[in-house]
Amino acid sequence: MASFQIGRIEGRWKNLLPPIQGGRFRPYRIEAEQSAQLDASMTSDEDSTSESTSAPGTPLFEVTEHSSLPKRRAHGGLGLLESSSVSSMSSVLSLEPTNKPKLSYMDARTQEEIQLDLDKYPALDPATQDDIVRRYRQLDQFIHAEGLYQCRYSDYMVEICRYAMLFGLCLLFLRLGWYSISGLFLGLFWHQLVFTAHDAGHMGISHDFVYDTVIGVVIADFLGGLSIGWWKRNHNVHHIVTNSPEHDPDIEHIPLFAISHRFFGSLRSTFYDRIMTYDSVAKFSVRYQHLLYYPLLILGRFNLYVLSWEFLLRGLGPRKGIAWWHRWFEIAGHVFFWTWFGYGIIYRSIPDAYSRFAFIMISHMVTGPLHVQITLSHFAMSTADLGIHESFPQKMLRTTMDVDCPAWLDFFHGGLQFQAVHHLYPRIPRHNLRRTQKLVQAFCNEVGIPYALYGFVDGNKQVVGRLADIARQAAILAECQRTVAKEGIAASH
């Protein structure tokens, strides 16, 4: 990273609002001209006071500040929330402003969710957030010292044996003509493979970019028919802006799902660079999303095929640099996959259309629980934007939950039950996350951040409950729109 360093600052770094979220920045050329003019003025005016001669140059940044911002006391200080997104409405007004305008239902709901998080989590003042960051870094050093970043390759030998057993059973029952049972074991094989592909995508196996990329492509593309490059492109952004409706592609599922009322406003996705239109299809599906949640996720793998091929055919991945070869390696992997799966198994090994259909549907529907596991850690958590002063560890813990399960079930969840821990330290190998979880829980107790931990059943209830709540809001909005439309028609006659 030292090769990318462009300078050094003295004192505490103050986060700046990115332009994509509404921050205003002057061009460097204007800044240089203003600085030159200031230097000339200071040189010519020898009688100027020490105050004027020591005045700093015009700043390059002009971040929009808001004077009326919510404040609260916590941990012995005042927490100040600064705007972080023009579209997110997180630059909420003060709690008791003068001449307060009447807010729309959606804006009021947004403010309510922000205030709930402000009351629940540590204050956003510099002292509190700096203490959280300091302890977070200390914990990282302790994790390094404990060797938890080191991968135990013996654990992956167990994984390989499990994969070989599942795929072997698939081939055995395929040969015996038990096509539905064969499809079941192929689906279980794919389900388990994803966990190691996830590890490789985070460089959590060898910690080497090339080696882990090869491992990820072999598993995801050659054996699973999915693009690891597509997944990394989405997932890296997800780790930075977790649960942000405008920015996180992992929660942008309009027209099928909406986990925040703010999707009703047809938000613009900065990732997809398009408006997520809340159209008639979305209005219908969102109203029933809590009922459609499991049926749609069961079929989720088919959608991943489409997204993977779109990524590869459009060349959305890196085309230059050390990763230029990824696209071609992945395309070769997909050709290999559809050769052994599509031609070798579906066409050559299964004799009739009905058995082929049953094999395809069962093998793909069995992977449905994986999509539940992926969404479980975030769909029920906060989507509120608390601004640029919130520290990274607090935001990760505020937007992510862990799933409580016994150690003997770790193979089923594949590390996805430790998503809060994983979001704090993404490169910790999966098999060390359970040990790290205890350290993170102690860290949360020290800094006063609530640690979200639910059982698998309770976590699903939380998610379905959130979807049902948003569905009710969608129904209320639709009814209000119909009422307004009727009143408008009646008034025109």
Side-chain angles (χ1 to χ4, degrees):
M1 294 300 294
S3 61
F4 296 95
Q5 182 174 315
I6 60 173
R8 183 182 297 275
I9 66 166
E10 299 296 335
R12 182 181 184 274
W13 170 261
K14 180 181 179 182
N15 292 332
L16 300 171
L17 191 64
I20 201 170
Q21 292 183 296
R24 295 186 300 160
F25 297 81
R26 285 197 299 277
Y28 178 79
R29 178 181 56 81
I30 297 177
E31 161 65 12
E33 292 175 356
Q34 291 177 342
S35 296
Q37 293 173 2
L38 180 61
D39 291 341
S41 175
M42 292 170 60
T43 302
S44 62
D45 189 2
E46 297 179 355
D47 296 329
S48 60
T49 63
S50 60
E51 180 180 357
S52 63
T53 57
S54 62
T58 306
L60 182 62
F61 320 109
E62 278 192 352
V63 181
T64 304
E65 299 278 355
H66 297 272
S67 58
S68 56
L69 299 171
K71 301 177 181 179
R72 76 175 185 88
R73 288 189 178 274
H75 300 273
L78 284 174
L80 181 63
L81 175 67
E82 185 171 311
S83 169
S84 68
S85 176
V86 171
S87 58
S88 70
M89 294 297 297
S90 64
S91 54
V92 292
L93 302 174
S94 60
L95 298 182
E96 296 180 0
T98 58
N99 300 323
K100 180 178 179 180
K102 185 176 181 180
L103 296 174
S104 70
Y105 170 78
M106 294 304 166
D107 291 345
R109 178 80 181 194
T110 299
Q111 288 192 356
E112 178 184 352
E113 291 181 356
I114 291 174
Q115 191 58 50
L116 286 173
D117 280 359
L118 288 173
D119 293 337
K120 184 177 181 180
Y121 289 88
L124 301 179
D125 62 277
T128 300
Q129 294 301 308
D130 286 353
D131 181 63
I132 292 173
V133 172
R134 180 180 61 83
R135 292 174 183 269
Y136 168 70
R137 291 172 177 169
Q138 289 177 347
L139 177 57
D140 181 59
Q141 294 174 355
F142 183 78
I143 290 171
H144 270 285
E146 289 292 301
L148 294 177
Y149 276 100
Q150 301 302 314
C151 180
R152 300 197 309 265
Y153 294 109
S154 58
D155 291 322
Y156 280 105
M157 293 304 298
V158 177
E159 301 287 341
I160 291 173
C161 291
R162 184 183 302 117
Y163 303 157
M165 179 191 69
L166 293 173
F167 192 69
L169 289 171
C170 167
L171 295 179
L172 173 63
F173 286 107
L174 183 67
R175 185 176 181 83
L176 294 175
W178 296 13
Y179 302 118
S180 296
I181 303 298
S182 176
L184 169 68
F185 282 107
L186 181 60
L188 294 175
F189 171 70
W190 283 336
H191 175 270
Q192 289 293 301
L193 277 182
V194 168
F195 302 140
T196 301
H198 178 260
D199 299 342
H202 280 288
M203 291 172 55
I205 300 177
S206 70
H207 300 307
D208 180 89
F209 178 70
V210 175
Y211 290 158
D212 279 351
T213 296
V214 171
I215 293 172
V217 172
V218 168
I219 293 174
D221 296 76
F222 282 75
L223 300 180
L226 307 178
S227 170
I228 190 71
W230 164 82
W231 175 83
K232 288 173 68 173
R233 181 171 180 260
N234 280 52
H235 199 67
N236 289 342
V237 175
H238 161 71
H239 268 264
I240 298 171
V241 286
T242 307
N243 265 26
S244 172
E246 299 94 344
H247 311 299
D248 183 358
D250 278 13
I251 65 168
E252 295 176 344
H253 301 299
I254 288 292
L256 300 179
F257 300 120
I259 67 169
S260 170
H261 65 277
R262 288 175 44 225
F263 285 105
F264 301 163
S266 295
L267 296 177
R268 177 182 176 271
S269 168
T270 58
F271 181 83
Y272 294 110
D273 194 23
R274 61 175 173 83
I275 301 296
M276 298 178 288
T277 307
Y278 188 64
D279 54 18
S280 57
V281 176
K283 291 177 181 178
F284 174 81
S285 60
V286 169
R287 290 183 62 180
Y288 302 99
Q289 62 180 358
H290 53 300
L291 304 176
L292 297 172
Y293 176 63
Y294 294 113
L296 288 176
L297 290 191
I298 286 177
L299 304 175
R301 192 174 186 89
F302 294 105
N303 183 52
L304 298 185
Y305 290 142
V306 176
L307 294 173
S308 296
W309 275 110
E310 179 189 22
F311 172 81
L312 294 174
L313 293 178
R314 293 179 59 190
L316 298 178
R319 299 189 181 188
K320 298 180 180 179
I322 61 173
W324 68 267
W325 53 274
H326 290 185
R327 180 191 183 191
W328 309 110
F329 190 34
E330 287 201 79
I331 290 176
H334 281 252
V335 172
F336 179 84
F337 171 80
W338 289 106
T339 299
W340 74 260
F341 173 69
Y343 179 74
I345 291 184
I346 302 299
Y347 181 73
R348 289 295 302 273
S349 302
I350 303 178
D352 58 275
Y354 175 80
S355 297
R356 289 170 181 166
F357 177 78
F359 181 92
I360 291 173
M361 295 305 298
I362 291 175
S363 62
H364 286 67
M365 292 171 65
V366 166
T367 64
L370 172 66
H371 303 284
V372 174
Q373 291 168 312
I374 292 172
T375 59
L376 183 61
S377 298
H378 300 291
F379 269 28
M381 299 301 288
S382 174
T383 58
D385 188 347
L386 298 190
I388 60 178
H389 296 312
E390 183 179 30
S391 62
F392 173 79
Q394 177 168 314
K395 182 171 184 177
M396 294 302 103
L397 291 165
R398 184 172 60 84
T399 57
T400 312
M401 76 160 70
D402 274 356
V403 177
D404 191 22
C405 75
W408 64 270
L409 262 181
D410 283 352
F411 81 95
F412 174 74
H413 292 283
L416 299 184
Q417 75 273 37
F418 301 118
Q419 281 294 284
V421 182
H422 169 68
H423 269 253
L424 291 176
Y425 305 103
R427 291 190 178 177
I428 292 181
R430 179 199 347 156
H431 304 96
N432 293 337
L433 289 175
R434 181 170 287 277
R435 291 174 59 194
T436 309
Q437 183 186 46
K438 295 180 174 29
L439 302 177
V440 170
Q441 287 174 320
F443 162 78
C444 290
N445 292 333
E446 289 177 3
V447 299
I449 298 178
Y451 179 78
L453 180 65
Y454 294 90
F456 185 71
V457 174
D458 289 337
N460 274 269
K461 290 180 179 179
Q462 291 289 322
V463 170
V464 174
R466 163 64 70 85
L467 295 174
D469 180 52
I470 301 299
R472 284 191 294 270
Q473 295 178 47
I476 292 173
L477 177 62
E479 184 62 32
C480 291
Q481 291 173 336
R482 282 194 295 268
T483 301
V484 170
K486 289 180 181 179
E487 291 177 351
I489 294 174
S492 64
H493 290 287

